[in-house]
């Protein structure tokens, strides 16, 4: 009995609807607007569930009249139909007559992602466009998306009857869910081309940020940059695959299922990459275990989205959206605490950029559910939010990199100053002898043994008792400042500076030691004149030269390292230098020194002439004396 009355009620309602039914029509009040702007054909549209009704069929009544964009999941349909429609699956017909158009004029509207998941468009009964293959038996639907404009032409009365056959077997939402926004064909094509250019520009900006992040990650082995690069990449994939897909525009053969999975990528990899990026940026925001725990669900969602049938993968998207929302809220809360606590540039910028993403994501979710925010006038702002976000993050990375470079430069500057200070005690040339570039490289077991020309020079007549401490130090400083450049210019390396005495070796070109000794004595002439002017003692130096084995190195412990120089030949050189006092000679050279100098000159094709006299002593009867203060020819 209950079913009987229900049936009577449905028949009665249908009878009333049939009597009041008027075919769906949308009137354009001013067609000139379409020359520059779009008009959304919101309806009401006639909707026929479970069948493809001919545009000329005026006897079959629609199940309901609907406005679009809207999903048929919530249409007011009979119970059996509503049960199927609630899943998003099914098939149906949308029909409307547009009036008030300019006569015999071409119009068009954008078709990508207009309906799920396949649809055909008819104009006055003639098919003008098809995306995929819609079927009344929705289980046989072949889904497809095309980056195309659907063009049609108004008739002599300025009318156009549009009919859409739509079917869906995979997506969780069904129906005409995007605006059918018509515009004159010329203006519509211009708008389409501008959109391609704008989307390509935004994608290019994001792609540059992705490459920049990965480059910094490889260059500095920085995980934070790698995670930001991954996050920027999934943002890029979302931007290039949804709403206005430049991926599909440039690669039209990509299957619908692949495009849909690319679009999903942001929902599971996005939160994971971002959380790990925040953790790398500042470990105080998330503890490492906590960050990995938050990111772990992404792996499960990715497996389900990529390796399960499309219809099932689509069903988990609402769960992914909740996961994204949780990650955003958790990150916002953590960043807010961080920004309040530290009030630094990085924390504030990171918080601001995430707020931008949160606003864009919220607006996107509301639009999907056909809720418009007046502030944004129904526009999808998420692409620009993506761009602003990644620019913010790139600025943060650049700032942090600059901070690192500044600290590194300060550290290097400190090292340079410190090293320069140490080099005043151990010259670079001395370090080179033991194959070291920096003093910090020296250990307590360095050693170097080689045959070299050795020069020992000592001040002979500095009477310390007659001078004040200030005079003593000034005398020695003036002496060292004048003599040191002479030694270095001739290739000598000072390995011991005892104030009044110097020990010098010549690793290369040992013959230059003789020339160096003469130039040192000539410099002493000039120096004595300066001393005389300031009434300082006119000091003299004695120089001994010998060729033999030199042992250089360091000894001690890690906390205290002392340099040493030792060998019998160094002792001989010092003995020869000491003889300059008793023999009243400025320069004394051993026979070994003379022999090696002569040999090197001969090897170079030069004539060697030794300008000096041989002298004998009880200590050594084969010493040669070079006492001339001018540079002899040939030396």
């Amino acid at each position: 009995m209950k079913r009987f009355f229900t049936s009577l009620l449905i028949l009665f309602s249908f009878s009333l609807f049939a009597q009041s039914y008027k075919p769906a029509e949308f009137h354009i009040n001013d067609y000139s607007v379409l020359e520059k702007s779009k008009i959304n054909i919101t309806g009401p549209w006639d909707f026929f569930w479970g069948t493809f009704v001919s545009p000329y069929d005026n006897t079959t009544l629609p199940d309901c009249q609907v406005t679009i964009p809207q999903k048929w999941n919530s249409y007011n349909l009979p119970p059996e139909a509503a049960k199927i429609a609630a899943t998003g699956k099914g098939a149906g017909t949308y029909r409307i007559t547009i009036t008030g158009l300019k006569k015999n004029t071409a119009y068009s509207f954008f078709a990508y992602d207009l309906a799920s998941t396949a649809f055909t468009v008819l104009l006055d009964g003639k098919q003008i466009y098809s995306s995929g293959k819609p079927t009344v038996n929705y289980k046989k639907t072949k889904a497809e998306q095309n980056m195309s404009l659907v063009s049609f032409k108004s008739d002599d009365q300025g009318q156009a009857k549009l009919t859409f056959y739509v079917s869906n077997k995979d997506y969780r939402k069904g129906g005409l869910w995007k605006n059918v926004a018509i515009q004159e064909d010329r203006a519509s094509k211009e708008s389409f081309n501008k959109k391609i250019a704008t989307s390509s520009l935004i994608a290019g900006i994001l792609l540059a940020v992705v490459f920049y992040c990965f480059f910094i990650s490889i260059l500095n082995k920085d995980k934070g940059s790698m995670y930001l690069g991954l996050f920027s990449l999934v943002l890029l994939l979302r931007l290039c695959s949804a709403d206005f897909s430049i991926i599909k525009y440039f690669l039209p053969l990509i299957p619908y299922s692949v495009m849909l999975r690319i679009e999903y990528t942001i929902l599971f990899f996005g939160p994971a990459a971002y959380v790990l990026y925040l953790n790398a940026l500042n470990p105080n925001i998330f503890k490492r275990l906590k960050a990995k725990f938050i990111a772990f669900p992404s792996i499960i969602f990715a497996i389900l989205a990529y390796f399960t049938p499309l219809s099932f993968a689509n069903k988990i998207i609402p769960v992914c959206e909740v996961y994204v929302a949780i990650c955003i809220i958790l990150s916002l809360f953590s960043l807010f605490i961080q920004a309040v606590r530290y009030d630094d540039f990085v924390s504030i910028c990171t918080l601001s950029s995430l707020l931008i993403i949160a606003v864009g994501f919220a607006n996107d979710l509301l639009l999907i559910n056909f809720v418009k925010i007046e502030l944004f006038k129904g526009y999808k702002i998420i692409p620009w939010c993506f761009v602003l976000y990644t620019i913010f993050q790139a600025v943060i990375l650049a700032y942090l990199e600059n901070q690192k470079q500044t600290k590194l430069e300060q550290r290097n500057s400190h090292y340079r100053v410190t090293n320069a200070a140490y080099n005043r005690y151990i010259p670079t040339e001395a370090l080179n002898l033991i194959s070291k570039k920096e003093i910090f490289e020296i250990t307590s077991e360095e050693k170097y043994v080689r045959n070299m020309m050795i020069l020992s020079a000592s001040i002979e007549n500095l009477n310390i008792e007659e001078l004040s401490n200030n005079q003593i130090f000034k005398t020695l400083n003036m002496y060292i400042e004048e003599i040191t450049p002479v030694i270095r210019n001739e290739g000598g390396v000072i390995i011991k500076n005892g104030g009044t005495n110097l020990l010098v070796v010549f690793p290369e070109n040992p013959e230059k030691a003789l020339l160096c000794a003469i130039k040192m004595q000539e410099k002493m002439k000039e120096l004595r004149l300066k001393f005389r002017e300031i009434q300082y003692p006119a000091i003299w130096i004695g120089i001994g030269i010998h060729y033999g084995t030199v042992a250089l190195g360091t000894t001690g412990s890690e906390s205290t390292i002392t340099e040493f120089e030792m060998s019998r030949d160094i002792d001989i050189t010092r003995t020869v230098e000491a003889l300059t006092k008793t023999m009243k000679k400025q320069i004394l050279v051993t026979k070994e020194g003379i022999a090696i100098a002569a040999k090197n000159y001969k090897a170079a094709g030069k004539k060697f002439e030794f300008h000096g006299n041989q002298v004998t002593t009880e200590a050594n009867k084969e010493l040669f004396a070079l006492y001339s203060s001018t540079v002899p020819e040939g030396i």
Side-chain angles (χ1 to χ4, degrees), residues 129-364:
Y129 179 81
S130 183
S131 177
K133 185 179 179 181
T135 58
V136 173
N137 181 1
Y138 65 86
K139 295 179 181 179
K140 296 182 179 181
T141 300
K142 293 184 179 179
E144 188 52 87
Q145 293 173 311
N146 298 306
M147 283 285 290
S148 306
L149 291 174
V150 180
S151 297
F152 64 94
K153 192 174 182 180
S154 60
D155 61 17
D156 295 338
Q157 286 76 43
Q159 297 182 0
K161 179 178 283 189
L162 295 178
T163 304
F164 285 73
Y165 295 155
V166 181
S167 70
N168 172 39
K169 70 169 183 178
D170 295 315
Y171 210 71
R172 67 187 185 280
K173 300 173 186 177
L176 277 177
W177 57 15
K178 296 291 175 69
N179 289 317
V180 178
I182 69 169
Q183 190 175 17
E184 282 198 18
D185 193 50
R186 176 190 54 79
S188 187
K189 288 176 179 177
E190 289 179 0
S191 176
F192 180 80
N193 291 333
K194 287 180 181 178
K195 186 70 174 175
I196 286 290
T198 303
S199 296
S200 298
L201 175 63
I202 295 174
I205 294 171
L206 282 174
L207 188 60
V209 172
V210 170
F211 280 128
Y212 171 77
C213 292
F214 285 144
F215 175 75
I216 293 297
S217 174
I218 294 171
L219 187 66
N220 296 338
K221 297 181 180 179
D222 177 26
K223 287 186 177 180
S225 300
M226 180 186 69
Y227 292 135
L228 180 58
L230 288 173
F231 184 70
S232 301
L233 181 60
V234 296
L235 292 182
L236 177 63
L237 292 175
R238 160 70 179 180
L239 174 65
C240 294
S241 60
D243 300 318
F244 193 91
S245 175
I246 62 173
I247 292 180
K248 192 67 175 178
Y249 178 78
F250 290 109
L251 301 170
L253 297 180
I254 293 182
Y256 171 81
S257 59
V258 175
M259 286 299 303
L260 206 58
R261 295 180 201 274
I262 290 175
E263 184 180 336
Y264 293 161
T265 302
I266 190 174
L267 294 175
F268 38 86
F269 278 145
Y274 185 75
V275 167
L276 293 173
Y277 164 65
L278 279 185
N279 183 67
L281 194 66
N282 190 338
N284 294 325
I285 295 178
F286 302 111
K287 292 182 179 179
R288 179 173 295 181
L289 180 62
K290 187 176 181 181
K292 290 183 177 180
F293 175 76
I294 295 170
F296 179 74
S298 292
I299 300 173
I300 299 174
F301 291 142
I303 293 172
L304 293 176
Y306 285 143
F307 301 107
T308 60
L310 193 61
S311 57
F312 178 82
N314 191 259
K315 289 179 181 178
I316 68 169
I317 296 305
V319 181
C320 292
E321 290 173 343
V322 172
Y323 171 62
V324 171
I326 291 173
C327 288
I328 289 177
I329 292 170
L330 183 61
S331 298
L332 280 173
F333 177 76
S334 301
L335 284 171
F336 178 76
I337 298 298
Q338 191 79 5
V340 171
R341 182 179 298 172
Y342 296 104
D343 191 27
D344 64 323
F345 176 81
V346 173
S347 298
I348 293 172
C349 277
T350 307
L351 177 61
S352 302
S353 62
L354 186 57
L355 279 171
I356 291 171
I357 282 288
V359 170
F361 179 73
N363 181 63
D364 197 45

